[in-house]
Amino acid sequence: MAEKKTVYLDAIHSPADLRALPDAAMPALAEEVRAFLIDHVRESGGHLASNLGVVELTLALHRVFDTPHDHLIFDVGHQCYVHKMLTGRADRFEQLRQVGGLSGFTSRRESPYDPFGAGHSSTSVSAALGFAEADRMAGRDAYTVAVIGDGAFTGGMVHEALNNCRSDLPLIIVLNENEMSISRNTGAFARYLATIRATNTYLTTKRRTAAFLRRLPLVGQPLYRAVRRFTLRLKHNIYKSNYFEDLGFLYLGPIDGNDYAQVARALYRARARHSAVVVHIKTKKGKGYAPAEEEACAYHSVSPSHAPAPDATFHRVFGEELIRLAEQDTRITAITAAMGLGCGLDGFRAAFPDRFFDVGIAEEHAVTFAAGLAANGALPCFAVYSTFLQRAYDNVLHDVALQNLPVKLFIDRAGLAPADGATHHGIFDVSFLSAIPNLRLYAPACFGSLRAIMREVFSSPAPCAVRYPNAAEDPRVAAIFYPDGDFAAFGVRADFSAENPPPNIVLTYGSIVREALDAKETAGADRVGILLLESLKPYTELVARIRPYLRKNTRLIYLEEGILTGGAGEEISRTLREAMGAEYPEEERFLAIRDHFATPDTPVSLYRYCGISA
């Protein structure tokens, strides 16, 4: 990567260096920051458009507030790259989003400037309130600032936190409105923000009018103050107070968030209040990089330049098959929690707009909403990342499974997430879903079995969950386990004969089967056999299919890209022991993730670090 010369950026190693610069340097510094982001993020991959939009805001935050004494908490964290650059981590961007490298989100392990870790949405206001209350009880004079996008405001947790905020706390919430999360925001709150935000034309007119009045000799400043008081009174009489003011916050905005001077003035004013303030800014996602400005969705997260995206992935195949099934059954509906593009549902949105629901970043609501649809005759599917489904566990258990409703969960990004790290590892879903009665659980390992499983799932009256990775299929899987293309016969597939089993048998599911295949190539086909499990739960049904392949002298190896405790390996072992008694194999071994979050501190193979590599 060719290094570009900078006037200011290279000299900034901490916010103190930034605060030493004059205000006049900020526009040039902002351009240097954007150039750095574009060069490095396109190379390493990561969240580009969201970070380009918050450059001026982040500069202002670190100049107005005394971080880390004052607490700066970013929601989600995908807009924290500029913050990392200004807090001594610019030289680590070569390892951005690499295992053991610089996290793509905020991380308490990484820097004292990251007071609260993130990765999931809508947590910042709750965490910030906790910081502010802790400072109040300890008698500390720190400010707490939460930076949250309008997309995250669709999450109900934000409003639970706002409901508990005290108006006398030095808590500042910066609401960054760019009309986007990953996809364009939808819902009532997004529409509400449109009623209190100003257009760029309005902001420009307001700024020019203020400047004109202030320049008038003698009467200019008093006239400006009088006009401002009149317009505020008129605005209040017409529109009354807004949502934030009704909750006890001072509301400032909307403000042009890509104008450094305006943002800094608003933040200084908020800091001077020593009370709860909402600063509403409006930014341009992708600011300064034309492709990202025009296609903010496509540039929300970009792949490394050396790793082009595959032509087909599990979530793309899921989306295509869902459209085919929905053409045949008008009861099928699709639900996303602001992840329509990421979960492969954009085609369904276009084909069946009346049967597509984007509920915003509200996974709990999504599941119970699906339960309501199912209880009244629809066939809803909720497509969600594994790590985000964790947020709706009670809803799956209480609202879906307890009532035995035919809700279909399609769990994307199942397995380890080397680039995004612990917050996005999909390693817990098998464990927590295995404990729920009535639920059927599937794990297709190739595109053909995914399509066949989807057909079975939508014909089943039971609640079902289908998990798959964010990856392309390994072509060896279909060739070895489905040589005749009989994908409808998924369930337990063996690459050896039940009449002549090898001494070592690997039981595995999901994309980690490729590690088992690699190991078999090394050890020899006569020594290792693989049982590919694509229908996991109910485990009693699964064990009945596994049992014919096992002998007392078999050495069993349970391999899974998931947490050991409560995982499929433990469940299968327990159920097999009950079924086989003294005939259960004498030796077994579990290769799974053992009681940790898979967060190495140095660059390493993540599979090897977790002890589950070939």
Side-chain angles (χ1 to χ4, degrees), residues 274-608:
H274 296 279
S275 63
V277 182
V278 169
V279 179
H280 179 182
I281 69 170
K282 182 173 173 60
T283 61
K284 177 70 174 176
K285 197 168 185 180
K287 174 74 174 176
Y289 183 49
E293 288 189 25
E294 294 167 9
E295 295 289 342
C297 287
Y299 283 87
H300 171 79
S301 182
V302 297
S303 299
S305 58
H306 55 80
D311 293 333
T313 62
F314 277 88
H315 71 262
R316 289 183 192 171
V317 173
F318 153 72
E320 293 164 1
E321 185 65 22
L322 187 66
I323 291 172
R324 281 193 284 270
L325 292 171
E327 288 170 345
Q328 300 164 19
D329 192 334
T330 59
R331 297 175 300 161
I332 292 177
T333 62
I335 302 166
T336 179
M339 301 296 293
L341 178 64
C343 287
L345 288 176
D346 270 19
F348 189 98
R349 181 204 304 257
F352 307 105
D354 292 340
R355 289 193 267 160
F356 174 84
F357 301 94
D358 186 341
V359 301
I361 303 174
E363 292 85 0
E364 296 165 85
H365 163 61
V367 172
T368 303
F369 170 57
L373 286 168
N376 203 26
L379 273 179
C381 78
F382 175 36
V384 59
Y385 288 13
S386 171
T387 183
F388 300 152
L389 182 62
Q390 295 162 185
R391 313 184 82 169
Y393 183 74
D394 177 66
N395 309 78
V396 174
L397 194 157
H398 180 271
D399 299 327
V400 175
L402 182 61
Q403 303 185 87
N404 205 24
L405 292 170
V407 171
K408 316 304 175 186
L409 303 173
F410 288 89
I411 305 171
D412 201 347
R413 272 64 170 179
L416 292 164
D420 286 326
T423 60
H424 284 57
H425 287 330
I427 58 177
F428 297 99
D429 57 89
V430 169
S431 180
F432 70 68
L433 292 174
S434 290
I436 300 178
N438 294 334
L439 188 75
R440 303 186 69 89
L441 179 58
Y442 302 84
C446 63
F447 295 158
S449 56
L450 171 60
R451 295 187 184 98
I453 286 170
M454 288 181 68
R455 290 192 290 271
E456 175 169 303
V457 158
F458 279 105
S459 64
S460 170
C464 300
V466 184
R467 68 186 310 272
Y468 42 84
N470 177 30
E473 67 175 353
D474 185 325
R476 294 178 297 175
V477 174
I480 292 172
F481 295 99
Y482 295 97
D484 300 323
D486 55 337
F487 297 106
F490 66 86
V492 174
R493 304 289 293 192
D495 67 348
F496 61 92
S497 165
E499 290 74 31
N500 187 28
N504 301 284
I505 295 177
V506 179
L507 281 78
T508 191
Y509 62 91
S511 62
I512 201 170
V513 67
R514 63 181 177 269
E515 295 293 316
L517 291 169
D518 290 345
K520 178 168 182 171
E521 289 177 6
T522 302
D526 58 332
R527 299 191 61 216
V528 178
I530 300 172
L531 286 177
L532 177 62
L533 318 176
E534 293 183 291
S535 178
L536 298 180
K537 190 174 182 292
Y539 288 104
T540 50
E541 294 181 10
L542 174 66
V543 161
R545 297 179 181 180
I546 293 173
R547 189 172 175 177
Y549 294 96
L550 306 184
R551 303 291 184 270
K552 188 175 178 63
N553 63 348
T554 300
R555 184 180 189 226
L556 277 182
I557 301 170
Y558 294 97
L559 172 65
E560 58 186 317
E561 191 175 349
I563 202 75
L564 172 65
T565 306
E570 286 193 349
E571 289 290 334
I572 296 167
S573 173
R574 177 183 58 80
T575 311
L576 271 173
R577 285 180 183 276
E578 292 174 356
M580 297 183 68
E583 294 303 310
Y584 184 76
E586 294 176 345
E587 188 176 357
E588 67 179 5
R589 184 179 178 190
F590 295 90
L591 299 182
I593 299 167
R594 295 174 180 263
D595 200 28
H596 60 79
F597 285 102
T599 52
D601 293 318
T602 56
V604 67
S605 161
L606 199 52
Y607 276 1
R608 187 178 295 276

Side-chain angles (χ1 to χ4, degrees), residues 65-132:
F65 295 97
D66 181 21
T67 53
H69 174 72
D70 295 328
H71 318 294
L72 179 54
I73 298 174
F74 286 90
D75 205 276
V76 186
H78 60 217
Q79 75 282 51
C80 71
Y81 294 5
V82 184
H83 160 75
K84 288 176 183 272
M85 292 164 58
L86 302 175
T87 54
R89 287 171 274 180
D91 60 348
R92 297 181 60 192
F93 266 69
E94 300 295 339
Q95 294 184 334
L96 177 66
R97 299 178 78 244
Q98 295 180 21
V99 176
L102 192 67
S103 171
F105 305 99
T106 51
S107 169
R108 284 170 56 85
R109 300 172 62 191
E110 196 174 279
S111 171
Y113 289 96
D114 294 359
F116 197 78
H120 288 186
S121 173
S122 312
T123 64
S124 62
V125 181
S126 295
L129 178 57
F131 272 83

Side-chain angles (χ1 to χ4, degrees), residues 208-244:
R208 289 175 179 172
T209 301
F212 170 75
L213 290 174
R214 287 193 180 108
R215 285 197 300 269
L216 293 176
L218 301 177
V219 299
Q221 195 63 32
L223 183 59
Y224 166 73
R225 287 196 294 266
V227 169
R228 188 171 181 279
R229 283 196 300 270
F230 172 76
T231 55
L232 286 174
R233 190 176 299 113
L234 180 64
K235 175 183 172 184
H236 184 270
N237 288 337
I238 294 174
Y239 297 108
K240 306 302 179 187
S241 58
N242 67 33
Y243 173 72
F244 304 108

